[in-house]
Amino acid sequence: MAELVRQQELDVEVDFYGFALQDVDDTQVPVGYPEGREAGRAFLTAREARLDIESAGHTHTATLSAEVWDGEPPAADGRGEWEERAEAQFRCASGELAIWAVTGGPMDTCLRLSDTGGSWRARVYCEGRAEVRRAAEAGVPEGIEHYLVQFWPATA
């Protein structure tokens, strides 16, 4: 059975309906965010060294719970009222992911996956989408949309 290795809770500044998790080593990212982003398309898109995530709200602060597991984790179906769910595989050469806003660029906080690089699986869940869609039309809400991202080695 897979075991939880580490967990992080953080705020994500969403703008223009999106954000990305991208390798902190820019030399390993052939196409940096937001270049090549397909706005409004899939909830989750995997690219070389990055994951693009589409939000339901234009500009707001979302919350993100990141979990790193040593193997495939149990599904989080009962842990939230998930409106979206997707899985992807990607490479992270540095072992750390920066969080990028569409126009705001990289945020100060990074997600640590491991001490070395490798291939990873990610399962992304989201709740609060319908509510943030409405709230973001009237202002810049905080903490309505919540993401859970579960990471585990692709070789596990």
Side-chain angles (χ1 to χ4, degrees):
M1 175 177 270
E3 295 203 20
L4 183 63
V5 175
R6 90 182 42 81
Q7 209 169 357
Q8 282 181 266
E9 302 286 331
L10 46 114
D11 292 333
V12 174
E13 300 304 322
V14 176
D15 62 357
F16 290 91
Y17 297 97
F19 68 96
L21 306 176
Q22 178 174 288
D23 197 321
V24 297
D25 183 354
D26 291 338
T27 66
Q28 300 299 313
V29 183
V31 180
Y33 190 74
E35 191 176 329
R37 174 181 175 231
E38 297 176 14
R41 304 273 305 215
F43 166 63
L44 175 66
T45 303
R47 301 195 175 280
E48 184 67 28
R50 84 180 208 218
L51 295 171
D52 295 359
I53 299 171
E54 292 298 306
S55 170
H58 186 284
T59 304
H60 65 101
T61 303
T63 59
L64 183 132
S65 300
E67 300 175 347
V68 179
W69 294 77
D70 64 1
E72 183 174 356
D77 296 331
R79 294 174 48 193
E81 296 182 23
W82 309 120
E83 297 166 59
E84 288 282 356
R85 173 191 167 165
E87 276 190 39
Q89 183 169 326
F90 69 104
R91 282 198 51 73
C92 181
S94 69
E96 282 190 288
L97 295 169
I99 302 164
W100 281 69
V102 175
T103 60
M107 296 173 210
D108 292 336
T109 307
C110 294
L111 296 175
R112 186 171 159 272
L113 301 177
S114 67
D115 293 331
T116 60
S119 291
W120 292 86
R121 299 278 314 159
R123 186 181 299 140
V124 182
Y125 298 87
C126 186
E127 64 184 346
R129 293 176 70 81
E131 187 178 348
V132 83
R133 183 179 293 114
R134 288 187 299 273
E137 290 176 1
V140 182
E142 292 188 19
I144 295 174
E145 196 173 51
H146 174 70
Y147 293 87
L148 168 63
V149 185
Q150 297 175 313
F151 297 99
W152 68 95
T155 56

